[in-house]
């Protein structure tokens, strides 16, 4: 039935599609249906799309990885280096630090060693990128076959692993390694990467880096490595323990040899080694493993002293030293350092029985030896063993210096042209009252009264004799006559640090209540030995870091006292040794001109001898320290000797050391120029009382201007009776000491005929008899102005 529209018209019939005949497969424009296996395979469009998508995603992931993965800071294990400490001749003292590593620039590695490393690890290093894709694929394939974990890493990747990552084998670490290596390759030169690789690789024997490896296996620097040695180091990287031919098994040795040959053949193939040189190359001689130098014995004291010197002088900071990489050459002479150790051992340690004698267990020795002309420290003794006794006895400032300070008082008096209370200019012949406990004249307030050693009264003595015999009562008056501030100031000018504990302008200052170090006192006496020119002792000769020299300012030189004053004091200190009754008579055994001064402090807690020849100054001290509590204790009885004095063990150690230290050197005399403080030649009658003074002539006490207690002013040794003093033969401290020569005779003189004439001195006629032991020293001193005074010795 025909349709009609709303308007009433008849609608046309609907259109119909023509009927198609034939099979569906023949119909145009229709894809055939995929059947069977074809339905499982992607079309080329799908394959192409997938590849494009993979590339896009891969590129995005790579770009994201490059953006997100940053080159981290080098981990501490890679940057921490050892510091190398050397004697003045370049021989090794010690290495310190967490790792035995010393970074060197590529220019400090021989070309042969560089080529050997490349031949072993990455022959195409300079012509490839950071990552070797074929090598990685090969390593992955071998790993998948069960041939063990394979690396396939370039030198750049190994450098990254050593420096920034751990050695752990993991996919995460490997991915990080790839990205960081690419960034490093883009930002660092090939030379820098190779240098970093060589400095961070582990060569076995505790050696990190090629410099440490070269020293460990061949005892040479990396710059001196031959092709044979470099090839061995490159080979040993593959398996440090297994390929160490000194300790490896037979199989390990053969593997090391095979690897060594592989490296050399690679060098020939890359034209880094000629065939002729290769044929002539033999396996290198590998040194036996050496124990890493530690800090036992004196090494620890020397290293710590050098560290303190570097940091206190602003040469290297503590933080920089902790990072490491420094080569520090000290001024220490290894032969003299050994001689000092031997002297302590033979003269002191061999006589100690710490298990049975309390005093022996408490005895601590310290010593320092200085070249007076340069100020260089040539030897130090810090204690028996740094690993057992950490306090450096050569640097400690907690024990009184005793009568070694009297040399400073002499220098202050002579250089300032000081006068006695009666107005006489002070010189070696000036006569003082040596009565024990004599009150100081001319001071305000409560007079200071210092007893002499053992309470001995010396009567009227010259300043020279008071120096020889170390008379306390004379030196306290001498300091008062000079001015206590002048004495303190002279100490600082001569070389004591201004902040030395106990260094104050007090009446007891000349008796050594200050507590300088052994090294400080060596510096003071070096100033006297050097004509009054003060050079603070210095320890570090040179410093290098990464092959670069670190600048070090040279020591300053100042004129502390006049040359004449220094020479006069030296002449007077010779009497301490030359006088048979002098406290330092044991040093005569050196058989050279010697000047020096002993020191023994209150209760024998420390005993000293500081002495010098024109060539060398050495300071030696013993300190009594309770090994359990660290408190200061008496040295009385040390080595089985009753009492303790600077003229005993310290003088013996000094003499034994100086004999060895100066062996083979010509004997020279001290300088003799100069006049005394009154501008008169030394020995001039006007410098002191006239030798022709009669016994009946009234005497005045130079310290007060009043009559002296003896009523005479004759000089002992020139017709008067000398006071009791110390002395004895050069017997060992453990033996009974005979009295000094009872016949008055001038002290032996070793100076040339042009030398200043010292006041003739004699052994005291009232000295103890042949069976008397060394007199005790260190009598208590009455305090003055709040400062206790030491004894003497």
């Amino acid at each position: 039935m025909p349709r009609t529209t709303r308007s009433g018209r008849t609608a046309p019939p609907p259109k119909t599609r023509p009927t198609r005949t034939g099979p569906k497969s023949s119909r145009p424009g229709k894809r055939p249906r995929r059947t069977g296996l074809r339905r499982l395979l992607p079309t080329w469009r799908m394959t192409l799309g997938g590849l494009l998508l993979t590339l896009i995603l891969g590129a995005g992931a790579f770009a994201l990885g490059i953006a997100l993965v940053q080159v981290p800071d080098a981990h501490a294990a890679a940057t921490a280096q050892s510091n190398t400490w050397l004697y003045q001749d370049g021989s090794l003292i010690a290495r310190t630090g967490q790792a035995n590593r010393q970074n060197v620039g590529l220019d400090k590695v021989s070309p042969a060693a560089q080529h050997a490393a490349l031949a072993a690890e990455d022959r195409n290093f300079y012509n490839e990128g950071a990552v070797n894709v074929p090598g990685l694929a090969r390593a992955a394939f071998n790993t998948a076959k069960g041939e063990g974990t394979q690396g396939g890493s370039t030198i750049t990747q190994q450098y990254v692993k050593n420096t920034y990552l751990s050695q752990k084998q993991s996919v995460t670490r490997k991915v990080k390694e790839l990205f960081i290596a690419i960034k490093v390759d883009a930002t660092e030169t090939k030379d820098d990467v190779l240098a970093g690789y060589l400095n961070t690789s582990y060569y076995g024997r505790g050696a990190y880096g090629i410099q440490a490896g070269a020293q460990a296996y061949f005892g040479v620097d990396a710059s001196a490595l031959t092709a044979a040695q470099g090839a061995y180091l490159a080979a040993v990287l593959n398996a440090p323990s297994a390929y160490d031919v000194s300790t490896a098994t037979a199989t390990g040795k053969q593997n090391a040899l095979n690897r060594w040959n592989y490296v050399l053949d690679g060098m020939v193939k890359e034209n880094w080694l000629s065939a002729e040189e290769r044929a002539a190359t033999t396996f290198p001689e590998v040194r036996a493993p050496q124990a890493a130098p530690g800090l036992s014995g004196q090494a620890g004291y020397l290293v710590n002293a050098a560290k303190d010197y570097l940091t206190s002088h602003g040469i290297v900071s503590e933080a920089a030293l902790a990072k490491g990489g420094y080569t520090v050459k000290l001024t220490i002479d290894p032969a003299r350092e050994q001689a000092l150790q031997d002297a302590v051992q033979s003269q002191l340690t061999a006589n100690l029985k710490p298990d049975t004698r309390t005093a022996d267990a408490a005895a601590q020795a310290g010593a320092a030896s200085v070249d007076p002309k340069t100020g260089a420290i040539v030897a130090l003794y810090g204690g028996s063993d740094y690993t057992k006794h950490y306090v450096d006895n050569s640097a400690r400032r907690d024990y009184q210096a005793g009568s070694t300070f009297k040399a400073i008082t002499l220098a202050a008096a002579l250089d300032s042209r000081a006068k006695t209370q009666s107005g006489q200019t002070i010189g070696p012949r000036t006569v003082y009252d040596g009565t024990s406990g004599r009150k100081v004249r001319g001071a305000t307030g409560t007079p200071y009264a210092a007893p002499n050693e053992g309470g001995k009264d010396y009567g009227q003595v010259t300043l020279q004799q008071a120096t020889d015999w170390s008379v306390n009562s004379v030196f306290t008056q001498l300091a008062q006559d000079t001015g206590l501030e002048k004495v303190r100031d002279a100490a600082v000018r001569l070389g004591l640090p201004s902040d030395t504990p106990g260094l104050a302008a007090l009446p007891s200052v000349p008796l050594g209540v200050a507590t300088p170090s052994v090294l400080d006192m060596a510096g003071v006496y070096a100033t006297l030995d050097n004509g009054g020119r003060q050079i603070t002792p210095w320890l570090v000769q040179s410093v290098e870091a990464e092959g670069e020299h670190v600048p070090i300012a040279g020591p300053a030189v100042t004129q502390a006292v006049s040359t004449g004053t220094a020479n006069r004091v030296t002449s007077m200190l010779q009497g301490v040794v030359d006088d048979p009754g002098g406290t330092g008579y044991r040093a005569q055994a050196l058989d050279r001109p010697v000047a020096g001064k002993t020191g023994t402090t209150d209760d024998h807690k420390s005993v000293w001898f500081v002495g010098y020849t024109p060539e060398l100054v050495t300071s030696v001290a013993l300190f009594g320290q309770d090994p359990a509590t660290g408190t200061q204790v008496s040295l009385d009885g040390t080595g089985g000797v009753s009492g303790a004095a600077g003229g005993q063990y310290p003088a013996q150690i000094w003499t034994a050391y100086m004999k060895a230290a100066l062996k083979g050197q010509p004997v020279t005399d001290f300088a003799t120029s100069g006049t005394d403080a009154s501008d008169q030649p030394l020995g001039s009658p006007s410098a002191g009382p006239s030798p022709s003074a009669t016994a009946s002539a009234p005497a005045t006490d130079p310290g007060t201007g009043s009559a002296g207690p003896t009523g005479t002013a004759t000089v002992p040794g020139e017709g008067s009776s000398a006071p009791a003093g110390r002395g004895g033969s050069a017997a060992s401290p453990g033996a009974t000491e005979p009295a000094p020569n009872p016949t008055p005779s001038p002290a032996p003189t070793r100076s040339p005929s042009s030398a200043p004439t010292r006041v003739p001195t004699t052994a005291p006629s009232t000295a103890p008899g042949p069976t008397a032991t060394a007199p005790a020293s260190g009598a208590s001193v009455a305090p003055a102005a709040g400062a206790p005074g030491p004894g003497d010795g």
Side-chain angles (χ1 to χ4, degrees):
M1 183 174 180
R3 292 183 299 162
T4 59
T5 64
R6 291 183 179 178
S7 61
R9 296 179 180 178
T10 301
K15 294 180 178 180
T16 60
R17 296 179 179 176
T19 303
R20 296 179 179 177
T21 61
K24 292 183 178 181
S25 60
S26 63
R27 295 176 185 174
K30 185 68 175 179
R31 296 176 185 171
R33 178 176 297 178
R34 299 167 62 86
T35 60
L37 292 176
R38 291 183 62 194
R39 298 179 62 183
L40 301 178
L41 298 175
T43 65
W44 67 271
R45 289 186 178 88
M46 294 173 63
T47 301
L48 180 60
L51 288 174
L52 290 174
L53 180 60
T54 300
L55 289 175
I56 293 171
L57 291 176
F62 183 82
L64 184 63
I66 291 292
L68 294 180
V69 176
Q70 301 296 321
V71 178
D73 292 332
H75 55 68
T79 58
Q81 304 176 58
S82 63
N83 290 318
T84 303
W85 310 88
L86 307 174
Y87 288 108
Q88 64 171 226
D89 65 353
S91 57
L92 184 65
I93 297 174
R95 289 192 183 95
T96 59
Q98 295 180 341
N100 179 15
R101 175 190 287 116
Q102 182 184 355
N103 285 354
V104 293
L106 200 58
D107 60 334
K108 301 294 185 182
V109 181
S110 71
Q114 296 180 41
H115 292 149
L118 294 172
E121 300 295 331
D122 193 355
R123 298 178 187 180
N124 201 35
F125 170 72
Y126 278 97
N127 300 312
E128 67 183 4
V131 179
N132 184 347
V133 177
L136 286 177
R138 182 173 59 254
F141 180 74
N142 291 336
T143 300
K145 288 197 310 179
E147 295 182 7
T149 302
Q150 302 290 306
S153 299
T154 64
I155 279 181
T156 304
Q157 289 174 261
Q158 293 183 61
Y159 164 61
V160 166
K161 178 181 65 176
N162 293 341
T163 306
Y164 305 109
L165 303 171
S166 70
Q167 301 295 314
K168 181 180 180 181
Q169 295 282 2
S170 68
V171 175
T172 302
R173 198 271 296 161
K174 198 68 177 178
V175 170
K176 287 184 178 180
E177 177 184 303
L178 295 176
F179 285 112
I180 295 173
I182 292 170
K183 281 200 166 184
V184 166
D185 188 61
T187 57
E188 296 185 29
T189 68
K190 288 290 188 179
D191 283 351
D192 289 341
V193 172
L194 180 59
Y197 166 76
L198 293 173
N199 281 318
T200 56
S201 295
Y202 181 62
Y203 288 83
R205 296 190 178 184
Y208 286 85
I210 194 166
Q211 171 67 12
Q215 288 288 344
Y217 289 94
F218 304 111
V220 301
D221 289 332
S223 61
L225 288 169
T226 65
Q229 294 170 334
Y232 178 78
L233 289 180
V236 84
L237 282 174
N238 213 38
S241 298
Y243 287 1
D244 188 339
V245 295
S246 295
T247 57
T249 63
T251 300
K253 292 178 181 178
Q254 185 59 51
N255 289 338
L257 179 61
N258 294 342
R259 181 71 174 174
W260 179 78
N261 283 316
Y262 166 80
V263 174
L264 288 175
D265 290 341
M267 294 174 69
V268 173
K269 184 177 181 179
E270 297 297 327
N271 294 319
W272 293 326
L273 186 69
S274 70
E276 293 78 11
E277 291 173 318
R278 169 70 177 93
T281 301
T282 58
F283 196 83
E285 182 178 353
V286 178
R287 70 191 307 194
Q290 305 290 315
L295 297 179
S296 60
Q298 296 305 302
Y301 299 118
L302 296 178
V303 168
N304 269 7
K307 285 181 178 179
D308 289 342
Y309 186 90
L310 291 172
T311 55
S312 64
H313 287 76
I315 300 170
V316 181
S317 69
E318 290 187 39
L321 276 177
K323 182 179 178 182
Y326 289 90
T327 297
V328 184
K329 184 180 288 188
L330 279 58
T331 58
I332 300 296
D333 180 340
R336 286 174 168 173
E337 179 67 22
Q338 186 61 53
L340 187 54
Q341 296 179 48
D342 293 344
V344 174
Q345 171 63 33
S346 64
Q347 300 301 313
L348 175 67
T349 310
N351 294 317
L352 299 181
K353 298 179 180 179
D355 294 335
T356 58
R357 288 195 293 252
T358 301
D360 288 5
Q364 290 289 338
S369 190
V370 174
D371 182 336
K373 300 300 186 291
T374 66
I377 303 169
V378 298
L380 288 174
Y381 186 87
S384 57
D385 189 332
Y386 177 75
T387 61
K388 299 175 182 178
H389 177 76
Y390 299 105
V391 177
D392 185 351
N393 293 333
S394 70
R396 66 190 308 165
R397 292 183 175 131
D398 55 349
Y399 281 82
Q400 293 180 344
S403 292
T404 58
F405 200 95
K406 288 174 180 174
I408 296 174
T409 309
L410 286 174
L414 298 179
D415 202 57
S416 65
R417 299 175 179 271
K419 298 181 183 296
T420 65
Q421 296 293 306
S422 61
Q424 179 188 22
T425 300
I426 295 171
R429 290 179 175 270
T430 302
V431 175
Y432 274 97
D433 181 358
T435 302
S436 180
R438 174 188 175 279
K439 294 181 180 180
V440 170
R441 313 297 167 83
T444 59
T446 303
Y448 185 50
N452 295 327
E453 174 191 341
K456 291 183 177 64
D457 290 329
Y458 290 85
Q460 297 291 299
V461 293
T462 64
L463 184 56
Q464 177 66 66
Q465 291 171 315
T467 302
D468 296 353
W469 305 331
S470 205
V471 183
N472 287 343
S473 57
V474 170
F475 274 86
T476 53
Q477 185 63 57
L478 177 65
Q480 181 63 47
D481 293 346
T482 303
L484 301 181
E485 283 289 350
K486 289 182 179 179
V487 174
R488 184 198 177 280
D489 291 346
V492 175
R493 293 200 313 275
L494 288 166
L496 287 193
S498 59
D499 60 351
T500 299
L503 184 59
L506 298 174
S508 56
V509 67
L511 304 183
V513 293
T515 59
S517 70
V518 168
L519 180 56
D520 292 335
M521 292 307 293
V524 167
Y525 279 61
T527 302
L528 299 172
D529 199 5
N530 194 31
R533 292 178 294 277
Q534 194 273 329
I535 306 174
T536 301
W538 52 285
L539 182 62
V540 175
Q541 185 171 309
S542 66
V543 180
E544 287 189 4
E546 306 286 339
E548 298 292 331
H549 286 280
V550 177
I552 301 177
V557 181
T558 59
Q559 193 71 39
V561 295
S562 72
T563 300
T565 294
N567 292 344
R568 288 192 296 273
V569 174
T570 294
S571 179
M572 294 183 72
L573 294 181
Q574 285 184 268
V576 175
V577 176
D578 290 343
D579 183 349
T583 59
Y585 73 91
R586 282 186 175 87
Q588 291 180 24
L590 183 61
D591 200 26
R592 288 174 178 262
V594 174
K597 187 69 188 76
T598 56
T600 302
T601 63
D602 189 34
D603 198 25
H604 311 104
K605 291 179 180 177
S606 62
V607 291
W608 300 63
F609 182 72
V610 187
Y612 54 99
T613 67
E615 303 84 8
L616 197 60
V617 178
T618 302
S619 174
V620 181
L622 260 61
F623 307 115
Q625 182 178 24
D626 188 299
T629 65
T631 57
Q632 297 187 12
V633 295
S634 176
L635 289 165
D636 187 5
T638 297
V641 180
S642 177
Q648 295 174 346
Y649 283 121
Q652 290 179 206
I653 293 171
W654 184 94
T655 304
Y657 163 70
M658 293 290 279
K659 281 184 177 180
L662 298 176
K663 185 177 181 180
Q665 295 192 23
V667 176
T668 57
D669 295 303
F670 289 108
T672 59
S673 62
T675 56
D676 72 5
S678 59
D679 284 332
Q680 298 294 329
L682 289 174
S684 167
S686 63
S690 171
S692 63
T694 63
S696 60
T700 57
D701 182 351
T704 63
S706 60
T710 63
T712 64
T714 54
V715 180
E718 297 182 358
S720 69
S721 175
R726 292 158 296 189
S729 70
S732 66
T736 300
E737 297 185 353
N741 182 4
T743 303
S745 61
T749 301
R750 296 186 177 87
S751 300
S753 58
S754 59
T757 304
R758 291 191 305 276
V759 177
T761 56
T762 66
S765 61
T766 56
T771 59
T773 59
S777 62
S780 299
V781 177
D792 182 33

